[in-house]
Amino acid sequence: PRHKCGNKKSCPENHFAFKIISGAANVVGPSICFDDTILMSNLKNNIGRGLNIALVNGTSGQLLKANTFDMYSG
């Protein structure tokens, strides 16, 4: 069976599924999936080097804000 965000198991009732992939150098970019919706990825063109952060409403699951912080350049 297919589970949300490609996880190996389903989440309990009243819980959100999520998957965060950090990426691998310049080969595979990072991505954030929340409740079977990709919030940040290479395809959405909203990721960058450093910290990629998605702020999500914990009750509704709605994406409030997504941003990237380049920690390498200061």
Side-chain angles (χ1 to χ4, degrees):
R2 187 191 176 293
H3 303 290
K4 289 183 177 179
C5 291
N7 290 324
K8 293 183 181 185
K9 294 171 143 184
S10 289
C11 290
E13 286 291 319
N14 300 319
H15 287 75
F16 291 112
F18 69 93
K19 189 172 192 176
I20 299 171
I21 300 173
S22 65
N26 291 337
V27 180
V28 178
S31 67
I32 299 175
C33 176
F34 186 82
D35 208 36
D36 228 17
T37 301
I38 301 296
L39 301 181
M40 299 182 79
S41 73
N42 226 4
L43 293 174
K44 293 184 84 88
N45 199 28
N46 64 348
I47 58 167
R49 130 180 118 174
L51 299 176
N52 294 279
I53 298 174
L55 178 63
V56 177
N57 181 309
T59 303
S60 69
Q62 177 187 6
L63 176 66
L64 302 174
K65 187 172 184 175
N67 209 338
T68 182
F69 300 93
D70 188 345
M71 303 301 288
Y72 182 75
S73 68

